[in-house]
């Protein structure tokens, strides 16, 4: 489009010119995100300059851009932030109208103001947002001297008043981080306002304008480019302003940036955001220490250096090196600094981190005993560990200690139950494990095991198997004896053994207990560490992953394993309770289903007794789903007169339903007056969660285990969770004539692992032939689809 066309007073021409820049397709060259931003800035600068000239905006008035246009970071649908400066011009209202109205009429987002130089400086001294905007002001048209004068005055006022405004600046940032969260760890990050986002880079620029810190460089500038590129492509894809990268848009944005997929994009964003977040936190801390002192504060003596540990002192509220400390002579110095920072809650000074990064040599193998001791001291501090490891990692020191960390750094999780990137999850697990060290005889192995339990992720193969070899490598490097290295390898190899077994298998079956004991090599030490690691791992995964139900199951499993290790008899399977016998008698007499709900435990227990007939289990499971009860386990004994099902349940939301309503609906299902399939379909339509990725669910999968149940086999269904899934699968198994003995349901975010103990029709037990298995498997997969 010609310059003459764009220069006309009609901003519709500006809109059409922008549309040309955004067009792509056959025969059209698609501009990359950085080139697109440059073109958009040039286009708007040209239109505004031409418009200003046309309306007589010359002497004693100036048009300046702030915000995205002022920073030359204009994304396709960014608002224009413009300030019309004037020095007493009487026609300023006319100038403003002739500037703003064409933009409004064209539907262009506009944030505008009209100020004299004095007003601009005054508003910058009382309004933090206005001050931050005017610090970035860029002259567009008119009297450049006027723009320069205001910009210089605003910057001078900012520097002069920063001491009185710093707390507001820092508190505003902290509140924004609390509200919006981290860019690095959100499934759908806010690229602009999140912790580690673009506003934090602007905050660093503001601190630099106050001459408190240096301007951002290096990693932060690279991070800025990536954040801007992602935001630019997000605008282009959405066709409107958008700062939150939704999961369903991530693959298209990744493709536009020539990144493999949304997981690689998430990893790149995580690394960028963490670099920005770290730089911002260090910048705020450094700026606070550099604030000009006035009055009595200026007369006080400089902060003293308080000794904290060998070669480590506190200075100005930060951990720094003593004057005679030297990393080449003191192999444990890096870890001693880190442990001291975590123990005292003081941050490590940025200069100390950089000095250590420049001078600290790699530790020889095996590590000196002092280095291992300091590492264990660091890992045992709990929550303070997280920020310290982050600071070491962002400056390259952590990767020097643990080269294996590179594969998991910023690695996004593949399932939605996980809240953190894999490396952060490892540190969070270690922090949780620190609270549990008094429960085990070897807290050192628990802590190191927690730190490396998922270290095999991000590589080809089963992460537990790969992780075992890496854990052995780490253990030898740290200087553990061979026997301890072997235990560490077992812990990493089998860190999922207890939670998977407890939630997916029958703990009353001796075969289950024998298999766990054999897997841990008969080691009570490994069993103890695995029990506590399971709790720490679940707590560090995300909300709701660790529950009273899971704790009870794992404790029960471990107590049975300890009994077997001690040569004690295993507890006998529970016999039918008096309550069950009473329900059976009532069913036999009335030929009507009976339900009893026990809410004294967490989770609750629902006992259902029905006349023994085909489809009874599916009907009972369907009614529970209809009332929003999530089933964790089902025991399925059958008496002569009735089938008795004992379900362990918890409400998906709200409270437990009235047992009378459950019984009423079950009666209606069994007599045919309530069609479960239709009722559950309506329930799923109204209440099923929407996939945040917008992708179709992964296809279900069936696995068979022949040696994990006595006289039967275990069928394991891995599927996306659905309302009424247990009902559908139970119906499929009953239609196949399978003898179903128990069921376990393990929910992992949006996915489930449903385990069923199955024997052939007529009690064929584990002798299910291939044809029977194929038939059952097809039916189960169809039910789960």
């Amino acid at each position: 489009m010609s310059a003459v066309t764009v220069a006309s007073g009609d901003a519709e021409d500006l809109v059409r010119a922008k549309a040309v820049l955004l067009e792509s397709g056959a025969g059209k060259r698609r501009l990359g995100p950085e080139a697109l931003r440059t073109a958009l800035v040039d286009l708007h600068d040209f239109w505004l300059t031409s418009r200003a000239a046309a309306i007589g905006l010359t002497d004693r008035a100036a048009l300046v851009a702030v915000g995205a246009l002022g920073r030359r970071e204009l994304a396709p649908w960014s608002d224009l932030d413009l300030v019309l400066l004037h020095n007493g011009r009487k026609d300023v209202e006319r100038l403003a109208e002739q500037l703003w109205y064409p933009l409004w009429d064209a539907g262009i987002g506009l944030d505008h103001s009209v100020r004299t130089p004095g007003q601009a400086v005054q508003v910058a001294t009382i309004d933090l947002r206005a001050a931050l905007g005017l610090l970035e002001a860029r002259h567009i048209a008119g009297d450049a001297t006027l723009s320069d004068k205001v910009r210089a005055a605003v910057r001078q006022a900012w520097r002069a008043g920063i001491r009185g405004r710093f707390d507001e600046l820092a508190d505003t940032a902290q509140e924004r981080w609390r509200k919006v969260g981290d860019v690095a760890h959100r499934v759908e990050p806010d690229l602009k306002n999140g912790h580690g986002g673009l506003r934090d880079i602007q905050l660093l620029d503001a601190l630099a304008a106050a001459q408190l810190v240096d301007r951002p460089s290096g990693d932060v500038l690279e991070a800025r480019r990536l954040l801007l590129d992602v935001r630019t492509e997000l605008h282009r894809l959405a066709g409107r302003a958008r700062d939150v990268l939704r999961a369903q848009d991530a693959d298209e944005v990744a493709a536009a940036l020539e990144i493999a997929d949304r997981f690689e994009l998430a990893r790149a964003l995580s690394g960028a955001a963490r670099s920005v977040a770290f730089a911002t936190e260090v910048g705020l801390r450094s700026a606070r220490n550099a604030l000009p002192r006035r009055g009595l504060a200026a007369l006080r003596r400089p902060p003293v250096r308080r000794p904290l540990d060998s070669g480590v002192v506190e200075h100005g509220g930060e951990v720094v090196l003593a004057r005679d400390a030297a990393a080449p002579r003191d192999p444990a110095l890096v870890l001693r600094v880190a442990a001291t920072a975590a123990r005292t809650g003081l941050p490590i000074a940025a200069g100390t981190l950089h000095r250590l990064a420049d001078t600290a040599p790699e530790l020889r193998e095996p590590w000196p005993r002092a280095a291992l001791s300091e590492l264990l001291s660091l890992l045992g501090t709990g929550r303070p560990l997280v920020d310290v490891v982050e600071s070491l990692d962002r400056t390259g020191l952590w990767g020097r200690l643990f080269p294996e960390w590179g594969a998991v750094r910023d690695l996004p999780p593949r399932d939605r139950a996980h809240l953190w990137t894999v490396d952060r999850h490892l540190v969070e697990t270690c922090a949780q494990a620190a609270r549990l060290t008094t429960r085990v005889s070897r807290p050192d192995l628990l802590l190191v095991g927690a730190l490396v339990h998922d270290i095999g992720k991000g590589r080809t193969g089963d992460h537990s198997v790969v992780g075992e070899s890496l854990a052995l490598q780490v253990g030898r490097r740290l200087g553990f004896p061979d026997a301890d290295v072997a235990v560490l390898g077992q812990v990493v190899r089998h860190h999922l053994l207890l939670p998977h077994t407890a939630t997916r298998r029958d703990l009353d079956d001796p075969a289950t207990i024998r298999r766990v004991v054999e897997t841990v090599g008969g080691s009570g030490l490994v069993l103890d560490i695995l029990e506590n690691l399971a709790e720490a791992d679940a707590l560090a995964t995300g909300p709701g992953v660790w529950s009273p139900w899971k704790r009870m199951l794992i404790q029960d499993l471990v107590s049975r394993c300890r009994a077997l290790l001690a040569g004690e008899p295993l507890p006998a399977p529970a016999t039918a309770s008096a309550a069950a016998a009473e329900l059976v008698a009532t069913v036999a007499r009335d030929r009507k289903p009976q339900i009893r709900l026990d809410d004294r435990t967490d989770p609750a227990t629902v006992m259902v007794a029905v006349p023994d007939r085909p489809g009874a289990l599916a009907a009972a499971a369907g009614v529970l789903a209809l009332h929003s009860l999530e089933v964790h386990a089902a025991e399925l004994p059958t008496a002569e007169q009735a089938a008795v099902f004992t379900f362990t349940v918890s409400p998906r939301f709200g409270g437990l339903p009235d047992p009378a309503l459950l019984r009423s609906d079950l009666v209606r299902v069994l007599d045919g007056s309530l069609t479960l399939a239709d009722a559950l379909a309506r329930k799923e339509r109204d209440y099923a969660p929407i996939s945040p990725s917008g992708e179709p669910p992964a296809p279900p999968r069936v696995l068979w285990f022949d040696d994990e149940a006595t006289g039967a086999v275990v069928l394991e269904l891995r599927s996306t969770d659905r309302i009424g899934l247990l009902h559908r699968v139970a119906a499929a198994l009953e239609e196949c004539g399978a003898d179903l003995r128990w069921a376990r349901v393990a929910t992992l975010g949006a996915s489930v692992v449903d385990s069923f103990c199955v024997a052939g029709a007529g009690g064929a037990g584990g002798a299910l032939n291939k044809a029977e298995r194929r038939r059952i498997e097809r039916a189960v997969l169809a039910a789960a689809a």
Side-chain angles (χ1 to χ4, degrees), residues 115-303:
R115 312 274 187 207
T116 65
Q119 290 170 338
V121 175
Q122 182 181 18
V123 77
T125 60
I126 60 176
D127 185 328
L128 183 61
R129 183 179 176 187
L132 295 175
L134 286 168
L135 285 173
E136 304 164 337
R138 183 171 62 85
H139 177 77
I140 298 292
D143 187 347
T145 304
L146 187 58
S147 298
D148 293 342
K149 175 183 176 183
V150 169
R151 192 169 186 270
V154 167
R155 286 179 165 261
Q156 182 179 359
W158 177 252
R159 287 194 293 270
I162 189 61
R163 181 173 182 82
R165 310 191 70 173
F166 183 82
D167 286 343
E168 181 188 3
L169 187 69
D171 291 346
T172 300
Q174 293 281 354
E175 176 62 18
R176 172 167 51 81
W177 298 342
R178 186 195 63 76
K179 249 174 102 174
V180 182
D182 291 310
V183 174
H185 304 300
R186 290 276 180 175
V187 174
E188 296 187 335
D190 187 323
L191 306 169
K192 182 178 180 181
N193 299 296
H195 189 198
L198 291 165
R199 281 209 187 280
D200 284 349
I201 301 174
Q202 295 159 28
L203 172 59
L204 288 172
D205 285 335
L207 294 176
Q211 298 180 344
L212 298 176
V213 300
D214 293 333
R215 283 203 168 274
S217 60
D219 290 347
V220 174
L221 294 182
E222 286 297 319
R224 172 184 173 273
R225 185 176 296 110
L226 177 63
L227 289 164
L228 285 173
D229 286 354
V230 174
R231 185 170 181 250
T232 300
E233 292 300 342
L234 185 58
H235 277 219
R236 177 151 48 183
L237 173 65
R240 60 188 177 89
R242 182 176 288 168
D243 296 318
V244 175
L245 177 61
R246 298 187 305 179
Q248 61 261 42
D249 297 328
D251 272 320
E252 286 189 67
V253 170
L257 296 175
E258 298 183 346
I259 295 174
D261 56 26
R262 60 190 172 93
F263 295 105
E264 286 302 312
L265 174 61
R267 187 171 195 174
L269 276 176
S270 175
R274 286 164 80 169
S275 293
V276 173
F278 176 67
T280 306
E281 290 164 11
V282 170
L284 283 170
R285 201 163 61 240
S286 300
R288 187 180 293 279
N289 291 336
L291 286 173
R293 294 189 295 170
R294 293 177 181 170
L296 292 176
L299 301 176
R300 291 180 191 144
R301 296 177 61 187

Side-chain angles (χ1 to χ4, degrees), residues 6-9 44-59 61-64 82-84 89 91 94-96 98-100 102-103 139-143:
V6 179
S8 72
H44 286 81
D45 279 4
F46 180 76
W47 189 92
L48 291 167
T49 302
S50 302
R51 182 63 179 163
I55 64 175
L57 197 162
T58 52
D59 62 310
L63 181 65
V64 299
L82 301 172
V83 180
L84 176 58
R89 279 190 60 155
D91 63 344
R94 175 189 65 80
L95 294 176
Q98 292 182 335
L99 273 174
W100 312 149
L103 297 171
H139 177 77
I140 298 292
D143 187 347

Side-chain angles (χ1 to χ4, degrees), residues 9 44 147 195 217 288 295 303 322 326 330 361 407 434 455 474 484 499 508 524 706:
H44 286 81
S147 298
H195 189 198
S217 60
R288 187 180 293 279
D330 186 350
I455 199 69
V474 169
D484 291 349
D508 284 330
D706 290 290

Side-chain angles (χ1 to χ4, degrees), residues 334-470:
V334 171
L335 287 163
R336 191 179 309 117
V337 167
T340 302
R343 189 170 58 249
T344 61
L346 298 172
I348 305 173
T352 296
L353 287 167
H354 293 306
R355 179 177 164 190
L356 289 171
D358 290 340
T359 63
E362 290 190 15
L363 292 174
R364 70 175 189 272
E365 298 185 19
W367 282 12
R369 186 176 298 275
L372 176 57
S373 176
E374 295 293 355
L375 173 68
L376 296 174
S377 176
L378 170 64
L379 300 184
T381 58
R383 293 300 312 164
L385 161 75
V386 177
D387 289 339
V388 172
V389 171
E390 184 75 4
S391 65
L392 295 179
D393 197 30
R394 292 301 117 181
T395 48
L397 288 164
W398 192 250
R400 194 177 304 173
L401 296 169
F402 295 98
E404 301 83 359
W405 208 257
V408 296
R409 181 178 292 109
D410 299 313
L411 183 67
R414 292 278 171 162
D415 63 76
R416 297 174 200 140
H418 276 268
L419 183 64
W420 308 106
T421 53
V422 175
D423 57 333
R424 177 66 179 269
H425 169 71
L426 291 174
V427 180
E428 291 281 343
T429 303
C430 193
Q432 294 287 350
R435 301 183 304 102
L436 311 176
T437 51
T438 57
R439 300 184 188 176
V440 294
S441 60
R442 291 296 304 274
D444 53 344
L445 294 178
L446 171 62
L447 291 170
V448 177
L451 184 68
V452 299
H453 73 279
D454 276 344
I455 199 69
K457 289 187 174 179
R459 298 169 170 88
T460 304
D462 184 326
H463 83 278
S464 297
V465 177
V466 176
E468 178 184 17
S469 64
L470 294 173

Side-chain angles (χ1 to χ4, degrees), residues 494-502 515-517 519-520 530 557:
H494 303 301
H495 69 274
L496 297 175
L497 174 67
L498 297 186
H500 282 190
T501 302
R515 182 177 63 84
V516 172
V517 170
T519 301
V520 300
L530 288 178
L557 171 59

